[in-house]
Amino acid sequence: MSFQQGLSGLNGAAKSLDVIGNNIANASTVGFKGSQTQFADIYASSLNGLSNNQPGIGVKVGQIAQQFSQGNIESSSNPLDLAINGGGFFRTEAGGEIQYSRNGQFGLDKEGYITNAQGAKLTGYQADASGLILGGTPTPLRIDNSDLKPVATSSIVAMLNLDSRVTAPDATAHPFSISDPLSFNNQTSIDIYDSLGNSHVLSTFYAKQTPDTVNATTDWSVYSAIDGAVVGGAAPATPTGTLTFNQNGTLTATVPDPLAYSVAILPPNGASASQTITTNFTGTTQYGASNSEKASSQNGYTAGQLTRFGAGQDGILLAQYSNGQSHNLGQIALADFADPNGLTPLGNNAWAESSVSGAPLVGAPSSGRFGVLQASSVESSNVDLTAELVNMITAQRVYQANAQTIKTQDSVLQTLVNLR
């Protein structure tokens, strides 16, 4: 008599109950992936190979396979909580060891690194000073909370319409003066910044010239003043440039091209004494309509303090500052594997690469096979409690049935022993 089949069945059922119990225990663990016990039958081999009439000697656990199906996405109040909706794993570094996880519960340590509860640092691609995301090997992401340095204005975009119906000012009776509205036809103003981030008002004045009937063109003289001081001197004022329009009201020339001039920062405040500003008038027109400013922008700003930051669906960490500017700090990297079931579980919601899983494919979220990121969200466990409870009942019955086969084998053996 053999007790092998029943004993292996008891061991298999016990292992299945262990897996089910572990799934149920982690039903509330963020990023947890449930496992499934897979069994295989066992046959004994003889010198002549397997026989067709062998009954088999029981069962064994073929593997415990983790199920990497998507868990539900739940909202969170932590802006650094991240959920992957789709394929991929977070790539973290702990003590020089690379780990992979679906648990996106992150925070900041004292040095500004994005870490999980175990201290593993989230890795990704850093951004340079201009906010350009740098590729290469992912490194631990660090949030730089230092102030954003001021940038002096160097270029302005001005798109407006200059009314073709107005009369050119009488330059003899009314030479250009910012205090004489009869010496110009239109005025616009914009705030610019010096090298220390101090704000200054740059005013631009437009004075129409007598149309050139031979060439069918009209020139407009452009004058500039910073904080009320005319650029180039006030007596007599020199235009900083000239705009030329054709008979269709289209801007055909800018003199100089590009229109650039140097402004003096007065009174001295420690900033650069002068700075060159280039103005782009592309799209400016001369139509028979009221003077209007259609677009106006400049590239300078004052210093700013970090007020908030967050991750987008593409994993880019965008910082926002008190001066209204935004700046890329870096981009979170994700990793994926040819066979995720081959990953080695490390505990703490982490896995490690193995020879079975294959080498990781690392890339940016929402690209290729990688899922998108959702900020202020976490991915819940993919364990189905209802299914696990049903599986538990089944495993319990299997255990009882295998115990019954051992009891029956024992009864048969006892009968043989009692034969006279």
Side-chain angles (χ1 to χ4, degrees):
M1 297 297 172
S2 173
F3 295 94
Q4 180 65 34
Q5 294 90 338
L7 181 60
S8 67
L10 286 177
N11 289 334
K15 181 66 70 175
S16 178
L17 284 170
D18 289 342
V19 172
I20 293 170
N22 185 61
N23 288 343
I24 294 175
N26 286 281
S28 298
T29 301
V30 171
F32 178 79
K33 300 301 178 184
S35 300
Q36 181 185 66
T37 310
Q38 298 177 353
F39 298 100
D41 54 4
I42 306 174
Y43 284 85
S45 299
S46 64
L47 292 176
N48 297 324
L50 292 177
S51 172
N52 290 333
N53 58 1
Q54 285 195 28
I57 57 174
V59 69
K60 67 177 181 179
V61 176
Q63 71 169 336
I64 299 175
Q66 289 201 286
Q67 308 301 301
F68 286 95
S69 58
Q70 178 73 44
N72 293 328
I73 304 298
E74 299 179 352
S75 61
S76 165
S77 59
N78 179 13
L80 276 178
D81 281 348
L82 301 170
I84 303 174
N85 191 352
F89 296 82
F90 294 110
R91 184 182 184 276
T92 62
E93 180 181 312
E97 179 184 2
I98 302 300
Q99 302 176 352
Y100 305 93
S101 177
R102 292 282 295 196
N103 185 349
Q105 293 176 304
F106 295 107
L108 290 180
D109 66 8
K110 63 181 180 180
E111 296 177 341
Y113 289 100
I114 302 176
T115 61
N116 60 19
Q118 289 72 43
K121 298 175 181 177
L122 181 66
T123 64
Y125 309 108
Q126 296 287 354
D128 63 12
S130 65
L132 178 65
I133 303 297
L134 304 175
T137 303
T139 57
L141 290 171
R142 183 175 180 272
I143 302 301
D144 184 3
N145 60 3
S146 60
D147 291 349
L148 187 65
K149 296 180 180 179
V151 170
T153 300
S154 62
S155 66
I156 294 175
V157 173
M159 185 169 63
L160 61 156
N161 179 69
L162 299 174
D163 193 345
S164 65
R165 300 169 299 181
V166 299
T167 303
D170 185 347
T172 302
H174 299 279
F176 175 76
S177 171
I178 62 174
S179 60
D180 182 3
L182 296 178
S183 65
F184 54 88
N185 301 102
N186 189 30
Q187 174 189 353
T188 61
S189 297
I190 189 172
D191 288 337
I192 65 169
Y193 298 90
D194 61 26
S195 61
L196 294 181
N198 297 303
S199 176
H200 304 272
V201 177
L202 179 67
S203 300
T204 306
F205 303 85
Y206 304 89
K208 186 179 181 180
Q209 304 301 306
T210 302
D212 184 345
T213 57
V214 176
N215 297 313
T217 59
T218 303
D219 289 344
W220 287 71
S221 295
V222 180
Y223 298 88
S224 303
I226 181 169
D227 295 334
V230 177
V231 175
T238 302
T240 53
T242 303
L243 305 180
T244 301
F245 299 88
N246 62 18
Q247 59 187 354
N248 297 319
T250 303
L251 180 65
T252 59
T254 302
V255 180
D257 187 14
L259 196 154
Y261 50 90
S262 178
V263 298
I265 304 300
L266 296 173
N269 57 12
S272 297
S274 64
Q275 60 194 70
T276 299
I277 295 179
T278 301
T279 304
N280 183 353
F281 286 98
T282 301
T284 295
T285 57
Q286 181 198 238
Y287 294 148
S290 300
N291 293 318
S292 62
E293 192 171 6
K294 294 180 282 187
S296 179
S297 63
Q298 54 85 39
N299 66 340
Y301 49 82
T302 187
Q305 295 179 329
L306 180 66
T307 56
R308 66 179 65 86
F309 66 90
Q313 292 188 344
D314 55 1
I316 292 179
L317 296 168
L318 183 67
Q320 294 180 327
Y321 295 86
S322 57
N323 59 1
Q325 298 296 311
S326 58
H327 188 75
N328 292 335
L329 299 177
Q331 185 175 30
I332 298 168
L334 297 183
D336 204 1
F337 297 86
D339 182 13
N341 285 309
L343 292 171
T344 302
L346 301 176
N348 291 322
N349 300 321
W351 292 270
E353 172 191 348
S354 73
S355 59
V356 179
S357 68
L361 173 66
V362 180
S366 71
S367 66
R369 59 199 286 184
F370 299 108
V372 299
L373 292 187
Q374 291 186 222
S376 299
S377 302
V378 293
E379 180 188 6
S380 62
S381 169
N382 67 350
V383 173
D384 184 344
L385 274 178
T386 301
E388 295 299 328
L389 292 174
V390 173
N391 292 337
M392 182 186 298
I393 296 172
T394 303
Q396 180 186 14
R397 294 305 182 193
V398 170
Y399 192 95
Q400 290 174 337
N402 280 281
Q404 190 64 34
T405 64
I406 294 176
K407 181 179 179 181
T408 302
Q409 290 278 17
D410 178 63
S411 178
V412 172
L413 182 60
Q414 185 66 35
T415 299
L416 288 175
V417 170
N418 290 336
L419 287 176
R420 295 287 195 282

